[in-house]
Amino acid sequence: MTFARAPRRHHPAGRLLAPSSAGLAAALLVAGLLSAPARAQVRTTTEPTPGAPIGTVARTAGDAAYEPGPCPKTPEPVKALEGARCGTLTVPENREKPGGRTIRLGVAIVPAATDSPEPDPIVWLAGGPGDDAVGEAQMAIDGGLNRDRDVVFMSQRGTYSADPDVLCPNIDEFNARSVGLVYDAPSTERLHVEATKACRDQLAARGIDLSAYNDIQSAADYEDLRKALGIDRWNLYGISYGTHLALAYMRLHPEGLRSVGLDGILPPSRAGSAATWSSARQGFDGLFKACAQQPACNKRYPNLSATFDKLVRQLEAEPVTTTVTLPGSDKPVKVVLDGGALVNWMTSATHVAPQVPAALDELARGKPQRIAQQWAGGKLSPQAIGRVAHGLVYGVFCSEWTPYESEQAALRGGQATFPSFPRSVQAQAPQLTFLHPDCDVWNVPPAPPSIRDATRGDIPTLALSGGFDSQTGADNGPYVARTLPNAEVVTVPYEPHVVFATSECAQEIAVSFFDTPSAPDTACLKTLKAPEFEIAP
């Protein structure tokens, strides 16, 4: 899978999918296994000190153990972690293999800003798959999530600050090289799959159990953390892929949850290539409609949707090669733009929506540099190398997605949503390029079919989406609410994927939800206006 990020308008945020240049994969349990791993009985070996802050006492819960200690490593210093209470959770790598190896997950607890915090913390579930929640702490705290509650960040298994990690920087390095390749060419596919297999071989050689990096095991990790910290109930806030994990957690371990916030929603029951095409359509159409409703934008860039469709067809037939330089470097970079590359650029470019009409117009007039620079920028950034846990990416997709969606079904999703696109473009869903071939070489068992069950229950839930979200479409909010009767569905207009990262209004709604889950304050939605689109001379 390849996924390029355009720069965000405010804070950097989690992605739907980590930029893996090879498919994805991993998996879990053998076919006949129960949908949830057996829950261990809690054994507290060290009683919590009355009144002791959460995370300052060593405790065990079943086979898991929490130990206070230094804060987890992060690629750069994170100011929000200054004063955090930190430690390590040790859990079995695979709960289906008693007596097997253990793994260590970094934990950071940022105290509430108030002197009298509520007793139920908020747990931040990162995006990706493959992002480290600890590295996203600044975004959560900048948005005021710790106003009244402690906020808990734990490195999901295999991520940057976990031990072991399953990063595979060779995939990031291939992503960087791939900007100079035709996006969906057979030769690109071969290199793509080679990078995936090299990742798999390297992890397997380190003794990593590739079948243990998935939502079922990760949900159990968080439940073990709750018990080991001695918390009766807590709240979840998941962004992007973190909503996928949150919905699995809600289904498998509902007893300790007070409320759940979902932002940029990816339901396990419908996740896959067809849904990714649908999300792209929704986000693109939202942006095109907003331009059409602004007289200046509509006059300067009429029929923007038709322009985009035409460009995809033209570039797929005759790719454009150009050279760009990136910020901070004078080294020229070769970039190839074909139809698939343009679709994937557009999927992330909704984060810089005001630029999109002008950028498409420039491309149509033979000036590809802006789009080429943005397309290459995310992949060649130093921040794009060695930070994403590709073993977890594959672990989720290749056990939970591809076994339940054929390549033919994925193609039909592209044909249904973008019938004018060439078949070669339709065959590679945005963010999920060469998904099935990658998963073939990853070669892990499928998750139990129950992993695709819709999440049901009465846990109060906030279902937040952005009107410009082309990565996890806004229709996922009403979709999950069908089986969650206490869900509040909110779409923040004119915002891209992960609204908490870009919208003060979304932050206000989220914080108010945890105060009063039955009635979040959405009054700020009435004040929102469409962005002013860039109008070229």
Side-chain angles (χ1 to χ4, degrees):
M1 167 196 73
T2 44
F3 174 63
R5 268 193 307 182
R8 294 185 183 277
R9 280 178 277 166
H10 300 139
H11 314 296
R15 308 174 281 292
L16 158 62
L17 310 171
S20 75
S21 118
L24 333 132
L28 356 280
L29 318 5
V30 285
L33 211 58
L34 295 175
S35 61
R39 296 181 185 138
Q41 296 296 313
V42 177
R43 302 190 310 271
T44 303
T45 56
T46 305
E47 292 295 335
T49 304
I54 295 168
T56 59
V57 176
R59 302 179 82 226
T60 62
D63 293 328
Y66 175 79
E67 182 72 27
C71 286
K73 65 178 181 179
T74 55
E76 293 91 22
V78 178
K79 184 174 178 58
L81 296 179
E82 296 175 6
R85 303 186 296 271
C86 297
T88 302
L89 182 74
T90 301
V91 296
E93 183 179 44
N94 191 333
R95 291 172 175 82
E96 307 312 314
K97 297 179 180 178
R101 65 186 283 175
T102 59
I103 60 177
R104 291 161 54 87
L105 310 176
V107 178
I109 303 167
V110 176
T114 178
D115 292 332
S116 302
E118 298 293 335
D120 45 285
I122 298 169
V123 182
W124 181 271
L125 300 181
D131 290 346
D132 193 325
V134 179
E136 295 179 351
Q138 196 66 52
M139 174 168 55
I141 303 311
D142 284 349
L145 210 58
N146 71 324
R147 188 188 69 186
D148 302 308
R149 290 172 168 79
D150 293 351
V151 182
V152 179
F153 303 89
M154 183 170 75
S155 52
Q156 195 179 343
R157 52 177 49 215
T159 56
Y160 185 87
S161 62
D163 181 16
D165 67 62
V166 292
L167 299 181
C168 288
N170 75 290
I171 286 178
D172 305 317
E173 292 160 0
F174 171 78
N175 280 335
R177 296 194 304 273
S178 71
V179 300
L181 304 176
V182 175
Y183 184 80
D184 51 18
S187 56
T188 304
E189 177 180 352
R190 177 178 55 80
L191 295 171
H192 204 276
V193 175
E194 285 179 1
T196 303
K197 188 175 185 303
C199 171
R200 188 196 196 285
D201 291 347
Q202 179 254 117
L203 296 179
R206 289 168 51 198
I208 304 294
D209 183 347
L210 299 174
S211 71
Y213 291 79
N214 53 63
D215 283 345
I216 293 177
Q217 297 284 354
S218 290
D221 294 341
Y222 281 96
E223 183 64 0
D224 280 348
L225 178 65
R226 181 183 69 83
K227 293 174 180 177
L229 293 177
I231 297 169
D232 290 333
R233 291 198 309 165
W234 62 10
N235 310 273
L236 305 180
Y237 195 82
I239 63 166
S240 191
Y241 158 73
T243 68
H244 193 281
L245 177 56
L247 287 161
Y249 188 172
M250 292 168 72
R251 186 173 60 80
L252 298 171
H253 307 283
E255 59 273 12
L257 298 178
R258 171 181 175 264
S259 68
V260 176
L262 306 173
D263 181 350
I265 304 165
L266 180 62
S269 53
R270 76 182 332 188
S273 296
T276 304
W277 275 120
S278 173
S279 293
R281 175 95 269 177
Q282 293 174 63
F284 299 173
D285 286 352
L287 191 156
F288 296 150
K289 181 179 178 181
C291 174
Q293 290 176 339
Q294 281 186 20
C297 190
N298 188 49
K299 180 179 179 180
R300 180 64 182 80
Y301 311 111
N303 302 315
L304 196 58
S305 178
T307 298
F308 175 70
D309 282 9
K310 182 179 179 181
L311 284 168
V312 170
R313 295 193 302 272
Q314 289 179 339
L315 289 175
E316 191 66 5
E318 296 184 26
V320 168
T321 300
T322 189
T323 300
V324 299
T325 55
L326 301 178
S329 174
D330 56 3
K331 182 180 179 181
V333 175
K334 173 189 171 185
V335 180
V336 176
L337 293 177
D338 61 358
L342 184 63
V343 169
N344 278 266
W345 166 81
M346 183 68 182
T347 303
S348 55
T350 52
H351 290 285
V352 288
Q355 297 184 38
V356 168
L360 290 174
D361 181 68
E362 289 170 4
L363 181 61
R365 292 186 292 110
K367 298 179 179 179
Q369 283 73 28
R370 185 191 324 217
I371 289 177
Q373 187 177 57
Q374 291 182 354
W375 174 235
K379 294 185 177 186
L380 277 78
S381 165
Q383 289 74 34
I385 308 295
R387 301 194 183 187
V388 171
H390 296 287
L392 180 60
V393 175
Y394 302 133
V396 172
F397 295 157
C398 297
S399 66
E400 302 176 25
W401 290 24
T402 57
Y404 302 104
E405 183 184 54
S406 67
E407 285 189 271
Q408 292 71 29
L411 173 62
R412 289 195 296 271
Q415 292 170 332
T417 49
F418 291 94
S420 67
F421 284 1
R423 182 186 175 93
S424 55
V425 175
Q426 295 166 337
Q428 307 297 338
Q431 313 168 79
L432 298 173
T433 315
F434 310 126
L435 179 58
H436 277 268
D438 281 334
C439 285
D440 287 343
V441 299
W442 199 256
N443 188 28
V444 293
S450 58
I451 198 67
R452 305 285 296 188
D453 288 350
T455 299
R456 302 176 184 275
D458 59 1
I459 299 170
T461 303
L462 175 64
L464 270 174
S465 300
F468 287 175
D469 189 345
S470 53
Q471 295 165 254
T472 58
D475 71 342
N476 285 326
Y479 174 83
V480 297
R482 297 173 313 133
T483 54
L484 297 171
N486 288 335
E488 179 81 10
V489 178
V490 177
T491 298
V492 183
Y494 318 120
E495 292 294 336
H497 185 55
V498 183
V499 293
F500 193 92
T502 57
S503 167
E504 291 183 3
C505 180
Q507 294 167 0
E508 293 172 13
I509 293 169
V511 173
S512 74
F513 167 74
F514 291 116
D515 284 344
T516 312
S518 60
D521 184 357
T522 60
C524 61
L525 294 173
K526 299 176 182 177
T527 67
L528 301 180
K529 298 179 180 179
E532 291 293 328
F533 290 96
E534 176 185 330
I535 307 299

